[in-house]
């Protein structure tokens, strides 16, 4: 036996199922055992086996087996508890609960189960689950209290009664068109006058019913619609199955006349003179079955029965299906006749002939027909001609069974006990005592055994059937039907188990059929269907209870086989369960049973008896005809077929997304799931952004395919994919235009517009060059317009920062609503996705390489791994790599670029096209042309064709990527050049990467069009340009305007030398075509010839304006390619409209240049000469900052935006406006807050003097002083009404003050720390406060009650603000975060991470879509409220940003800082190109690698960056420090980097080649300020603010020594060149020299009067230089410990010093924004590098073979490399800069510039530009001059006021 083999096996080798089965064996035996000791031994064995099962199942994580183990633990606990061992029982219960099982012994209640969230959502094998042990099953059979004739079924099967879920439909409004006939039937069922009250109706149905009952016209409309539908059915000549199914829906709700008419139609359809239609029989049967009470007349039923009898006779020799349907219909008619008490049935003419035919059917070869005939015969016997036993039995029960499955005439309250009692009496009353005894004995003892099981299903069934007399099984099955119909499944189970005829095989046959139909019917819930399957298994297995009827067992197997092979989606969840049960039954029973099993499995099941669902309704339906609606479903099905077929066999990797471009990579999510969530929401527009080639179109096609797969006829939302470039003017009637292209008629379009819903998938917003809001321009979801949700995709680069207005929904009566817009950015592939793509690609396309070869290339080819993260580039790479890499070539030497991939892809595509054409059967003329092209170079011809076509597309249709051509109509001549029938054009067209859809042509991907144009501009293989005709683009405005720079009437003459006048660069601006520019950027970097050509355009623009467009394009390309114009002569160049953002023009000569509308955001213009340049319309992206004499701690715009109030550290308040500056004096000490009243006529201020002051701004007088607070006042807010003020203070209180009398109205207590901020809600009914106690409290203004506490911040909360709508709150905290809260729910919506220090201030934009925060980290950040992502970061302040304020229009933001400046920021300025690789905060440390090829920098932005020495490009970003990085250093070999930082107090070791953090060294108790490697590279020294230096072993990470002695934090540490000594500089103002071996201090060097910032040894080691906050550099003699030289000159603190490689020069960097170069021997300052953008915090000199370069790091985050030339005089030239996008114009001359606004001029001056150029301007570095302290503008000059007037 199986169990014996299991028991004999070691438990450790058992599977989870085997161990579980063994445990149940032990448990069953324990249940039967009476001896307590033996029972406990068996329980112990059970526990061991269950433990083994648990261990084994962990490997598989099979949740179902885990559930079974939990059940067994529960059973074990029950047994132990019953045997008097409660403690052991509790242990078992706890183990079950840990496995997720609660203390219940039955299965979950099916009533409370949800099919949506059921465990059956994921198909899994359904094994025989037991809620009670096997032994308890056996005990149940032997319990003496249960009568022998009563069967038992496990409790979990049909545990409780349920209700078959009724289908509910959307209820229409008055005169609203109905969607389908079932909807009409549902409405009429609710309106039936005899309808019993139903509390289960939802509120919407109740409301509809109450409203419609009052609307007689609407009732009449619905009723007449049903009547008209029956008439339409009568007129329908076809009357197919779908239309029959449609009218049957109405049968239960028709009035009597309409129902009689329907019966008449069916009656006529079954006329003997016509061909019998099975669906007519089905319709008749279902109509009778569901007829309303009183609608069936006896005469009608008799007449129908006569007809069916005749057809039965005529159909006797026809198919079994026809016969089955006839007998089924007869059964329903006879059931109805019995229910309606039909009497006087003519037995001679009808009864006897019918019974004879039914008896004859007993000999049929179809077992199902035999059973149905027996049932019909029994029904015939039960049709009464006088009072019968059936009626008597019904009287006993108190109910009369009125029919089966009727919708309205359902019988309620069947008394099961009386019904079963009646069945016994029926049999006794009819057949006498002797016959009754015989039948009961037969029923109780069982019938034929399996000794005769050699019979097949048919024979064994016939043996058990009786056609002689009435049998109780018929009545029992009728009662069972009633119970099933009402969902009384527990009662149904009780009936089946207790009815006297339960052993009758025909009764069991009928029961099994009903169980099969329950299991097959998707209307039932999960547990119910599962119980039906398990019920079948019980009947099959349990011979003792149910007998050994072979026919029943075979019937069960047939049902299970049908379920296991079901193809319907709703049944696929259960076929696995039925299949598992079948496999279990294979080994059940003896040999004969198993033989029968195998015989049955070999036969295919017959499925028609279990068909429970109605067929699909017709399209157009009868209802559509009644409502005069055109058929659309046919066309929709065709569209669906076309679109799903178009998808084809593609490689698809589900993409990831993130909420914004700025969101971190670890915040990615599955994009498809996010879009599906959107489609289930009420939101209207989903904007999908991404780079070119990121996979937006691929995703859109997959989304469309997915939606079509789940589309539901008639009611489903129609997915409509719209390729926007293919639609002419999609801003108007876009959906109708797309449907017309899909060949829908106008009437169909109108029908869908009025009655269908859509999901629009709009692809290529950028390609269609749209600027319209397509949602609003198409009036989506407005009254009478299209009902649709929209998914729309667009390249990220096409959008500016204010793009949301183009997508936010709205209508004519409401502004755009940001809450209805959802966004996502499709992310680049992860490495795992790249590998998945490779695997799929190899399977689908079978390329030359295998998966491993591709992976090897990814790992070894530089830059390839990053390139293939772009999905389209991934496709190109896999296509071309096998041919792109030469055999035998080392992969690490291969050079792969984006443009290189396109080059190879296009050439390979054309070669394949050539091969395909060569194999094609061409005509003679085509063959000759093909051979000619091949001889001349087919590939080159193809490339030229692509180039010319791309040029024409951009020239003739402005880059619109889809080009239409039809020979049937006159087209533009240029199209014929490419699409004519000329053989050469046709062949090249076929070979090129073009796609065609009807008369529409396009490149297969937009980027190939851009590539072709880029190659037309410059083709490496064809330096002689192809001439393109001159073209002038029109622009709005006059050409005489100073802002117009179009070239007009340029002669088409090509010069023999110089640039090509016909190049696309000449006649079109490509400034904003970022993808195209990217191709040309790479060409510049690869092809010096192209660079020379572009420089030629710029040079020629100096003399002739016809080149200015080309020059603007050229210089834009060069700047983007990283070219730097340092000291370049650009005098007179004409580049209007160029994008020079983030370019470097250090010391460039731009005198008299045409710079109109040039983008100069973040440009480096240090010491550039802009004299007399035309600068009308230039964009700097910044506003001027305003300088004050005191630190600013409060600022606020007035309500009208024309004034701003500023609070200062000295207690003063200034209000600046266009007409005046007003000073308010009164506070003693810092002003912490200043706010305007809602009307702007008053100001309230608070300060550290514990006072609140109210000011009248008309007079400037002080109205009140409110002084009730017992501490500093930090928070202030005006109520929206302007009658109250809220204040918060250090006394932990919030006070509400009245404006009129200045009295304190309420005190709000609850905070346990200082209250730093308060805010009123826009409605004025709430006050929010934030506190030192880390919480935000919400108070009601009226009662002063605290209604909610918002907790989440981990440190002090400094500011709080309500959103304009009042639904959100923003809070700023010392924990470095901003949080956004939902006011109503009190939950945190977003935590905004990004600031690196305390956040002091936060404010919402007037629209509520942005939050701006100011921080101690000196930055201002703009956050997206919807996504929580940082839109951009603004730098400029040098100290903490203490306050922020939005202008009322939302176009400006004002920020105040401790650096004594008030800065104005353009809140709406769009960002052009961000250099994301640059530092965003101060660079504190910088070093060069020993080889001289890399530079490393550490920054306050918490990152470390590696820079390429030659190009200045960022090679790698290393993240890991949780706080600012103060110091970095290279190891001696250059393979490692060491870093130290701020509050994380750690030292980290990094691998240079991978950027991986190799080790974290912890031990310091404070900031790590400096780190260095020993000369041998085996030791790292770190200096800390904890006053120690630690020496760490690089190999082990252990601390070898700790050097102590300084009395202040140590700021610098350095090894001597010989490694024997260490020098340190400290806050204690000393330099110390230490012996490395002993760890003792050898010398203490004194002389500095302030902190020693850095120390450095000379290359020879005999000298030591130290830099100090005392503005002095000292040079020390190491041996003597004496100061040799003192180097004065810097005017502020000196932060860094560095020796040149030969030790002759020393460089120093200072807070005074200069670097000085010193002669070490004399102490002379050889040169001063001036006009740095900010303080210079670190310097380092290269120690490589090319020693003459210097690198510097600045406070603004910039890294600069300088070339130092030591000739007669020391000269320094900037080689490159890596800045964080901050405008740098220090020393630039703006003398006599034209068109520059006063506002921009003020900005440039504030940034260091000068009106008059230095005479030595051509020198990159000025000669040495005496330093002078900078002067501060006198406060009397009121610079803020003057600047404010300029601003307005």
């Amino acid at each position: 036996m199986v169990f014996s083999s299991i028991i004999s096996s070691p438990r450790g080798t058992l599977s989870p199922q085997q161990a579980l089965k063994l445990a149940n064996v032990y448990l069953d035996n324990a249940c039967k055992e009476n001896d307590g000791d033996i029972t406990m031994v068996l329980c112990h064995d059970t526990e061991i086996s269950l433990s083994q099962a648990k261990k084994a199942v962990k490997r598989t994580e099979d949740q179902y087996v885990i559930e079974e183990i939990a059940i067994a633990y529960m059973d074990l606990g029950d047994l132990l508890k019953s045997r008097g061992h409660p403690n052991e029982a509790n242990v078992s219960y706890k183990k079950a609960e840990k496995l997720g099982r609660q203390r219940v012994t039955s299965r979950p209640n099916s009533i409370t189960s949800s099919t949506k969230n059921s465990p059956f959502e994921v198909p899994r094998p359904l094994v025989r689950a037991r809620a009670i042990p096997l032994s308890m099953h056996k005990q149940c059979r032997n319990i003496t209290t249960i009568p022998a004739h009563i069967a038992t079924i496990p409790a979990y099967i049909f545990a409780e009664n349920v209700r078959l879920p009724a289908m509910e439909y959307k209820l229409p409004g008055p005169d609203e068109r109905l969607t389908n006939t079932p909807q009409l039937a549902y409405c009429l069922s609710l309106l039936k006058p005899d309808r019993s009250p139903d509390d289960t109706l939802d509120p919407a149905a109740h409301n509809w019913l109450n409203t419609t009952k009052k609307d007689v016209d609407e009732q009449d409309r619905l009723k007449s619609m049903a009547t008209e539908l029956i008439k339409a059915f009568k007129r329908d000549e076809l009357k197919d199955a779908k239309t029959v199914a449609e009218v049957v829906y109405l049968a239960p709700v028709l009035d009597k006349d309409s129902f009689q008419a329907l019966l008449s139609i069916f009656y006529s359809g079954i006329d003997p003179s016509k061909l019998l239609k099975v669906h007519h029989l089905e319709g008749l049967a279902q109509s009778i079955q569901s007829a309303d009470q009183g609608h069936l007349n006896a005469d009608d039923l008799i007449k129908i029965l006569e007809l069916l009898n005749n057809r039965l006779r005529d159909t006797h020799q026809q198919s079994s299906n026809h016969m089955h349907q006839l007998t089924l219909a007869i059964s329903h008619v006879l059931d109805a006749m019995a229910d309606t008490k039909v009497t006087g049935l003519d037995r001679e003419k009808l009864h006897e002939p019918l019974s004879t035919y039914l008896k004859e059917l007993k000999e049929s070869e179809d077992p199902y027909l035999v059973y149905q005939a027996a049932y019909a015969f029994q029904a015939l016997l039960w049709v009464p001609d006088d009072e019968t036993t059936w009626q008597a039995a019904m009287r006993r029960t108190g109910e009369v069974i009125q029919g089966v499955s009727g919708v309205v005439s359902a019988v309620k309250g069947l008394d099961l006990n009386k019904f079963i009692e009646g069945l016994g009496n029926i049999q006794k009353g009819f057949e006498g005592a002797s016959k009754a005894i015989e039948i009961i004995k037969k029923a109780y003892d069982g019938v034929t055994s399996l000794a005769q099981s050699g019979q097949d299903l048919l024979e064994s069934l016939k043996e058990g059937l009786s056609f002689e007399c009435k049998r109780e099984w018929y009545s029992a099955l009728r009662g069972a039907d009633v119970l099933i119909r009402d969902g009384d499944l527990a009662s149904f189970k009780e009936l089946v188990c207790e009815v006297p005829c339960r052993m009758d095989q025909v009764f069991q046959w009928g029961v099994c059929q009903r169980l099969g139909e329950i299991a097959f019917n998707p209307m039932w819930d999960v547990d119910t269907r599962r119980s039906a399957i398990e019920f079948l298994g019980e009947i099959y297995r349990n011979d003792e209870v149910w007998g050994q009827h072979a026919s029943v067992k075979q019937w069960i197997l047939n049902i299970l086989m049908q379920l296991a092979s079901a193809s319907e989606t709703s049944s696929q969840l259960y076929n696995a369960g039925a299949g598992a049960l079948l496999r279990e039954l294979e080994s059940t029973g003896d040999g004969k049973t198993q033989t029968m099993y195998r015989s049955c499995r070999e036969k295919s099941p017959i499925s028609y008896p279990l068909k429970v669902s109605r067929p699909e309704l017709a399209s157009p339906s009868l209802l559509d005809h009644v409502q005069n609606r055109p058929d659309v479903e046919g066309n929709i099905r065709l569209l669906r077929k076309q679109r799903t077929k178009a998808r084809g066999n593609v490689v698809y990797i589900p993409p990831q997304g993130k909420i914004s471009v700025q969101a971190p990579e670890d915040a990615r999510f599955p994009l498809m799931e996010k879009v599906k969530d959107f489609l289930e929401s009420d939101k209207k527009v989903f904007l999908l952004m991404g780079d070119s080639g990121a996979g937006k179109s691929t995703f859109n096609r997959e989304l469309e395919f997915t939606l079509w797969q789940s589309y539901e006829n008639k009611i489903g939302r129609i997915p409509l994919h719209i390729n926007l470039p293919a639609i002419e003017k999609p801003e108007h009637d876009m959906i109708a235009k797309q449907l017309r292209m899909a060949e829908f008629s106008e009437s169909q379009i109108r029908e869908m517009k009025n009655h269908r819903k859509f999901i629009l998938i709009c692809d290529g917003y950028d390609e269609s060059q749209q600027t319209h809001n397509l949602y609003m321009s198409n009036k989506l979801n407005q009254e009478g317009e299209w009902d649709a949700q929209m998914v729309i995709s667009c390249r990220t680069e096409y959008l500016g920062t204010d793009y949301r207005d183009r997508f936010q929904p709205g209508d004519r009566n409401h502004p755009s609503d940001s809450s209805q817009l959802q966004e996502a950015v499709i992310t680049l592939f992860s490495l795992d996705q790249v590998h998945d793509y490779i695997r799929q690609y190899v399977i689908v396309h079978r390329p030359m390489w295998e998966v491993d070869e591709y992976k090897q290339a990814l790992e070894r080819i530089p830059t390839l791994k990053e390139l293939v993260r772009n999905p389209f580039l991934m496709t190109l790479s896999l296509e071309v790599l096998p041919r792109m890499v030469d055999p035998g070539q080392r992969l690490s030497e291969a050079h792969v670029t984006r443009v290189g991939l396109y080059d190879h892809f296009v050439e390979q595509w054309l070669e394949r096209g050539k091969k395909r054409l060569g194999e094609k059967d061409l005509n003679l003329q085509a063959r000759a042309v093909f051979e000619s092209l091949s001889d001349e170079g087919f590939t080159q011809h193809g490339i030229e064709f692509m180039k010319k076509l791309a040029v024409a597309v951009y020239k003739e249709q402005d880059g619109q990527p889809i080009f239409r051509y039809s020979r049937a109509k006159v087209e533009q001549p240029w199209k014929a050049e490419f699409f004519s029938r000329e053989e050469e054009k046709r062949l090249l067209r076929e070979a090129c990467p073009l796609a065609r859809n009807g008369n529409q042509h396009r490149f297969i991907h937009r980027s190939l069009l851009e590539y072709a144009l880029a190659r037309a501009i410059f083709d490496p293989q064809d330096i002689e340009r192809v001439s393109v005709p001159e073209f002038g683009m029109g622009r709005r405005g006059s050409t005489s305007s100073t802002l117009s720079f179009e070239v007009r009437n340029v002669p088409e003459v090509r010069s023999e030398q110089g640039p090509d006048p016909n190049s696309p660069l000449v006649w079109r601006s490509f400034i904003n075509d970022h993808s195209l520019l990217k191709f040309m950027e790479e060409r510049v970097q690869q092809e010096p010839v192209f660079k020379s050509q572009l420089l030629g355009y710029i040079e020629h623009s100096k003399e002739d304006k016809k080149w200015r467009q080309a020059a603007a394009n050229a210089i834009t390309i060069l700047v983007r390619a990283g070219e730097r114009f340092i000291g370049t002569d650009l005098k007179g160049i004409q580049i209007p409209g160029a994008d020079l953002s983030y370019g470097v023009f250090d010391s460039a000569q731009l005198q008299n240049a045409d710079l109109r509308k040039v983008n100069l955001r973040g440009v480096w213009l240090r010491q550039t000469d802009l004299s007399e340049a035309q600068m009308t319309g230039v964009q700097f992206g910044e506003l001027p900052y305003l300088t004050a004499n005191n630190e600013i701690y409060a600022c606020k715009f007035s309500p009208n935006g024309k004034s701003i109030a500023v609070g200062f550290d000295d207690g003063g308040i200034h209000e600046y406006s266009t007409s005046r500056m007003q000073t308010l004096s009164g506070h003693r000490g810092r002003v912490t807050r200043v706010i305007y009243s809602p009307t702007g006529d008053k100001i309230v201020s608070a300060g550290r003097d514990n006072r609140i002051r109210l000011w009248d701004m008309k007079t400037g007088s002080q109205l009140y002083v409110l002084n009730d607070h017992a501490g500093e006042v930090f928070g202030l807010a005006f109520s929206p009404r302007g009658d109250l003020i809220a204040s918060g203070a250090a006394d932990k209180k919030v006070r509400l003050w009245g404006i009129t009398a200045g009295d304190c109205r309420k005190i709000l207590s609850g905070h346990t720390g200082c209250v730093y901020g308060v805010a009123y809600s826009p409605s004025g009914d709430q006050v929010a406060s934030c506190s030192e106690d880390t919480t935000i409290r919400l108070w009601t203004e009226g009662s002063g009650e605290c209604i909610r506490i918002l907790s989440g911040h981990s440190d002090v909360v400094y500011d709080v603000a309500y959103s304009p709508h009042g639904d959100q709150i923003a809070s700023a905290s010392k924990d470095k975060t901003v949080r956004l809260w939902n006011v109503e729910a009190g939950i945190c919506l977003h935590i905004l991470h990004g600031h690196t220090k305390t956040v002091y201030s936060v404010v919402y934009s007037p629209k509520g879509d942005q939050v701006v925060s100011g921080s101690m980290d000196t930055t201002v950040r703009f956050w997206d409220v919807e996504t929580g992502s940082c839109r951009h970061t603004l730098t400029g302040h040098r100290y903490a940003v203490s306050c922020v304020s939005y202008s009322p229009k939302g176009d400006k933001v004002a920020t105040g800082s401790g650096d004594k400046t008030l800065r104005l920021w353009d809140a709406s300025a769009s960002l052009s190109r961000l250099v994301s690789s640059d530092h965003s905060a101060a660079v504190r440390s910088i070093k060069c690698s020993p080889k001289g090829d890399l530079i490393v920098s550490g920054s306050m932005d918490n990152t470390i960056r590696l820079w390429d020495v030659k190009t200045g490009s960022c090679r790698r970003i290393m993240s890991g420090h949780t706080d600012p990085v103060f110091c970095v250093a290279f190891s001696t070999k250059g393979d490692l980097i060491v870093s130290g930082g701020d509050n994380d107090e750690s030292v980290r070791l990094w691998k240079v080649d991978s950027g991986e953090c190799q080790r974290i060294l912890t031990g310091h108790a404070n900031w790590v300020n400096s780190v260095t490697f020993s000369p041998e590279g085996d030791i790292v020294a770190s200096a800390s603010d904890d006053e120690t230096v630690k020496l760490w072993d690089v190999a082990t990470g252990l601390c070898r020594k700790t050097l102590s002695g300084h009395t202040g934090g140590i700021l610098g540490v350095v090894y001597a060149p010989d490694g024997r000594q260490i020098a340190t500089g400290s806050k204690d103002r000393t330099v110390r020299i230490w012996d490395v071996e002993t760890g003792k201090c050898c010398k203490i060097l004194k002389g500095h009067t302030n902190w020693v910032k850095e120390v450095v040894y000379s290359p020879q080691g005999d000298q030591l230089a130290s830099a100090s906050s005392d503005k002095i550099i000292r040079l020390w003699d190491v041996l003597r410990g004496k100061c040799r030289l003192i180097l004065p000159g810097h005017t502020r603190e000196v932060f860094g010093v560095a020796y040149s490689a030969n030790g002759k020069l020393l460089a120093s960097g200072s807070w005074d924004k200069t670097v000085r170069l010193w002669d070490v021997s004399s102490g002379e300052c050889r040169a001063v590098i001036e006009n740095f953008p900010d303080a210079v915090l670190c310097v380092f000199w290269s120690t490589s073979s090319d020693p003459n370069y210097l690198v510097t790091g600045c406070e603004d985050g910039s890294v600069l490399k300088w070339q130092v030339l030591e000739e007669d005089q020391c000269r320094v030239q900037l080689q490159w800069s890596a800045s964080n996008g901050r405008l740098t114009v220090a020393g630039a001359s703006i003398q006599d510039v034209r068109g520059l606004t006063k506002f921009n001029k003020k900005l440039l001056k504030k940034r260091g530009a000068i009106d008059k150029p230095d005479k030595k301007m051509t020198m990159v570095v000025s000669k040495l001059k005496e330093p002078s302290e900078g002067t501060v503008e006198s406060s009397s000059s009121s610079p803020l006021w003057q600047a404010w007037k300029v601003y307005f």
Side-chain angles (χ1 to χ4, degrees), residues 92-140:
S92 187
Y93 288 145
K94 288 180 180 178
K95 291 182 178 179
E97 290 170 358
K98 284 183 179 179
L99 294 172
R101 190 74 180 179
Q102 301 302 316
R103 293 187 59 177
V104 294
T105 57
S106 62
R107 292 210 173 268
N109 186 351
S110 58
I111 294 176
T112 60
S113 299
S114 167
T115 57
K116 183 176 181 181
N117 298 311
S118 71
F120 258 52
E121 268 190 58
V122 181
R124 55 180 174 83
L126 178 62
V127 299
R128 183 188 174 199
R130 300 186 302 111
I132 55 176
L134 180 62
S135 58
M136 296 180 71
H137 282 282
K138 296 177 180 177
Q139 288 177 12
C140 288

Side-chain angles (χ1 to χ4, degrees), residues 96 223 395 461 467 520 654 745 858 923 961 1005 1191 1316 1402 1410 1693 1837:
K223 292 175 182 177
R395 275 201 314 279
L461 175 63
F467 282 76
F520 199 83
S745 67
L858 280 181
N923 61 44
H1005 194 267
E1191 298 173 5
Y1316 283 107
V1402 66
Q1410 284 192 137
E1693 300 97 317
S1837 64

